[in-house]
Amino acid sequence: MGLDFESRIFKKEAVYLGKEKEYIVKGGRQLFSKLKQAFMGINQIGVIGWGSQGFAQSQNLRDSLKGTGINVKVGLRKGSASISSAEKAGFSANTNGIGELLQVVAESDLVIILISDAAQVELYPEIIKNIKPGATLGFSHGFLLGYINTEGISFPDNINIIGVCPKGMGLSVRRLYEQGKEIGGAGINTSFAIHRDVTGNAVDYALGWSIAIGAPFSFITTLENEYKSDIFGERGILLGAVYGVVESLFMRYISHGMNSKHAYLSTVESIVGPISRLISKKGLLAVYEFFHGNEKKIFEKAFCATYNPALGLLYEIYDEVDTGNEIRSILMAVKRTELYPMTKIENTKMWQVGNKVREHRMNDNIQLHPFTAGVYLAIITAQIDILKEKGHAYSEIANESVIEAVDSLNPYMHARGLSYMIDNCSITARFGARKWAPRFHYMLEEQVYPQIDYIYKINQELIQYFTDHPIHGVLDTCAKLRPSVDIYVEK
């Protein structure tokens, strides 16, 4: 379908992101009255799984579709430990709200697959065997398509294939939906994709799904671009990079004489606090413009020294995703967890210091640290540049490199720490963060700090490149589409 679409139900709007024209659909609760029409021909939506996205999307769909006659049913394996959690959320087998996984697949008109990526690969043959001809198969991540591409197989040609992909963790999808009940359009942005449309209704189904889970705006992509940008972004600034960066900076600041509390405030707290809030409201350029005098020079040195090394590492990550190597790596890692389960990542001294800092935090005392900001924004800019070079649209780039970080993920690290942020994401994200964070750590130690300490001069052309970057105009436009509610997380 490409990056244009037509809906019989919802109005698309043209926006200019940079100099590029894209089309979006604005969400909001005022559109819930159109959902029954959008889901014409669908009597039951089967949500398969109760993980990071499953618990959030199933509840949002159920609440938004109340009174339409469309049933939302959760599909789980027999004896699943998640059954009790789904029941506490108001789903029940006695009221046709919970069923055995493959049975729910067989009886549903729209089947939304929200089990882990590895489980999708494992169960794909059985799902395809059970799904009805003419039904719609939906994904919130294109990982399975990536796997299928590497294996040289394809989806069956008698069903719709669509994607609706929230640009944030499931906790954010549910929390902002609830927080925004009085504010139209409050929620997490989504991308949507139409991989195959055999019934002629696929666009309306995808947009109805997106609006029903609370997306303030939905932008079109392809499933292939989605999984590449998503897996890449998780290993980059969304999770892996920020994890490696803060640990490396923490050690550097201590080696330069800071005490551990001040080092934590200058790294994690600076990024997830004032830096994220400023980017969320006013964009990347506002961080640079915040500094003056010597602090601006410190920012510029850190930015210039970090940009090219980050670009090289991020190219490597994109290549690993693009070739399918990262997908194969994930599937092998899942197998290894049968013998070696993933462990907590917050047991080091730094994160123990963080626990104490959060207990006595005073937000007004957190510094917007210029060196931390320079490193962080350099990696964001490098990630943006690679995605643009690889053909991704600015709507996708802005969400995967900036908005998801500052409006969905970082607030959870701010409230509860690194492990909570990462380990409430998908298994794919959790593996990626653990795998690539050390590479960002070493990149700083081996390439960036030696330049800063011994040989570096500010590259004014690179600073000019950053200040003139089209992403600033893109983020200005995205900010106008943003609902006036911030995600908050209780301690």
Side-chain angles (χ1 to χ4, degrees):
M1 169 169 280
L3 296 180
D4 196 2
F5 61 94
E6 296 295 334
S7 169
R8 292 187 291 266
I9 313 299
F10 303 108
K11 178 184 177 183
K12 71 178 184 182
E13 299 183 30
V15 294
Y16 282 89
L17 299 176
K19 296 181 180 179
E20 298 177 8
K21 185 178 184 180
E22 295 189 40
Y23 292 98
I24 65 165
V25 171
K26 291 182 181 177
R29 292 170 182 266
Q30 74 280 2
L31 296 177
F32 287 2
S33 61
K34 296 185 176 183
L35 292 177
K36 185 171 183 178
Q37 186 182 4
F39 286 126
M40 183 177 60
I42 291 179
N43 296 309
Q44 179 169 291
I45 298 174
V47 180
I48 308 304
W50 192 260
S52 174
Q53 288 290 334
F55 89 96
Q57 292 196 39
S58 57
Q59 291 182 82
N60 291 11
L61 285 164
R62 176 199 61 196
D63 294 352
S64 299
L65 292 170
K66 186 177 181 179
T68 64
I70 300 171
N71 187 45
V72 177
K73 190 169 185 177
V74 178
L76 298 170
R77 297 178 194 250
K78 187 175 181 180
S80 169
S82 297
I83 292 174
S84 61
S85 179
E87 289 176 335
K88 289 177 183 177
F91 294 91
S92 170
N94 295 331
T95 58
N96 202 31
I98 302 175
E100 190 277 327
L101 189 153
L102 291 176
Q103 182 59 40
V104 174
V105 169
E107 66 189 29
S108 298
D109 306 296
L110 168 57
V111 180
I112 299 174
I113 305 296
L114 299 179
I115 52 179
S116 72
D117 295 330
Q120 289 183 35
V121 170
E122 177 189 348
L123 290 176
Y124 172 70
E126 291 300 313
I127 290 171
I128 294 307
K129 187 185 299 183
N130 282 273
I131 195 167
K132 296 188 294 188
T136 300
L137 187 58
F139 300 93
S140 282
H141 184 24
F143 183 95
L144 186 60
L145 175 63
Y147 170 77
I148 283 173
N149 287 344
T150 64
E151 295 297 307
I153 54 181
S154 62
F155 290 115
D157 58 10
N158 63 345
I159 56 174
N160 296 331
I161 305 291
I162 65 175
V164 170
C165 309
K167 301 297 104 179
M169 62 202 295
L171 288 166
S172 302
V173 172
R174 183 59 180 166
R175 186 173 296 280
L176 272 176
Y177 180 92
E178 292 180 310
Q179 288 174 204
K181 285 180 179 177
E182 304 304 320
I183 301 174
I188 294 293
N189 299 335
T190 71
S191 61
F192 72 98
I194 312 301
H195 190 70
R196 180 173 295 123
D197 184 1
V198 300
T199 66
N201 297 321
V203 171
D204 290 330
Y205 290 168
L207 288 171
W209 171 10
S210 181
I211 289 165
I213 63 173
F217 74 88
S218 310
F219 60 91
I220 193 164
T221 185
T222 66
L223 271 183
E224 184 166 359
N225 275 357
E226 190 283 328
Y227 82 76
K228 290 180 180 178
S229 65
D230 188 79
I231 297 175
F232 169 71
E234 290 167 350
R235 282 134 186 79
I237 203 62
L238 298 182
L239 296 172
V242 71
Y243 174 10
V245 163
V246 294
E247 289 198 333
S248 177
L249 288 174
F250 178 82
M251 293 173 63
R252 176 177 172 84
Y253 293 161
I254 287 179
S255 72
H256 282 61
M258 279 190 190
N259 63 46
S260 58
K261 177 182 176 182
H262 190 193
Y264 190 87
L265 289 168
S266 299
T267 54
V268 177
E269 293 290 279
S270 188
I271 287 175
V272 301
I275 292 174
S276 287
R277 286 196 296 271
L278 193 53
I279 293 171
S280 177
K281 299 292 186 181
K282 297 183 179 180
L284 297 170
L285 195 58
V287 177
Y288 175 67
E289 292 173 343
F290 176 87
F291 300 112
H292 301 281
N294 189 55
E295 284 194 339
K296 179 159 282 191
K297 290 181 180 178
I298 292 171
F299 174 96
E300 290 176 342
K301 277 189 176 183
F303 182 95
C304 292
T306 304
Y307 176 82
N308 283 317
L311 201 66
L313 178 52
L314 287 162
Y315 266 123
E316 180 183 347
I317 295 172
Y318 195 96
D319 286 345
E320 290 294 290
V321 175
D322 191 32
T323 58
N325 287 345
E326 194 68 13
I327 288 175
R328 287 186 283 269
S329 175
I330 292 162
L331 295 174
M332 288 187 288
V334 169
K335 287 289 187 185
R336 288 195 297 273
T337 60
E338 296 172 7
L339 294 174
Y340 307 103
M342 277 191 284
T343 57
K344 281 281 191 180
I345 54 177
E346 278 194 329
N347 293 324
T348 64
K349 175 183 176 181
M350 174 180 179
W351 299 107
Q352 295 305 310
V353 170
N355 291 336
K356 296 177 182 178
V357 168
R358 289 194 300 276
E359 287 177 8
H360 306 287
R361 174 191 286 142
M362 296 179 65
N363 285 327
D364 292 342
N365 294 337
I366 301 173
Q367 178 191 9
L368 206 165
H369 196 282
F371 194 90
T372 298
V375 170
Y376 187 64
L377 265 66
I379 297 172
I380 291 176
T381 306
Q383 180 166 311
I384 288 166
D385 287 346
I386 289 173
L387 285 170
K388 190 59 189 166
E389 180 184 322
K390 298 298 183 179
H392 295 266
Y394 265 128
S395 54
E396 189 162 61
I397 293 169
N399 277 278
E400 292 286 1
S401 301
V402 182
I403 297 170
E404 184 172 353
V406 299
D407 286 344
S408 175
L409 294 167
N410 288 356
Y412 281 89
M413 182 158 61
H414 181 65
R416 299 181 186 170
L418 176 82
S419 184
Y420 193 87
M421 176 184 75
I422 289 177
D423 290 337
N424 279 282
C425 294
S426 68
I427 296 291
T428 295
R430 293 165 70 185
F431 278 123
R434 286 164 167 80
K435 176 180 176 181
W436 291 97
R439 292 290 305 279
F440 283 95
H441 190 139
Y442 298 148
M443 175 201 78
L444 292 171
E445 294 282 348
E446 296 170 359
Q447 299 179 60
V448 176
Y449 302 155
Q451 289 191 66
I452 291 289
D453 293 338
Y454 303 115
I455 61 174
Y456 204 76
K457 294 182 179 180
I458 295 171
N459 180 345
Q460 290 298 338
E461 290 184 359
L462 186 55
I463 295 299
Q464 190 69 45
Y465 171 77
F466 168 70
T467 58
D468 293 344
H469 203 292
I471 194 61
H472 305 311
V474 170
L475 292 174
D476 286 345
T477 300
C478 290
K480 294 172 185 174
L481 302 169
R482 182 183 185 276
S484 57
V485 60
D486 295 320
I487 189 169
Y488 66 83
V489 187
E490 299 93 341
K491 292 182 180 179

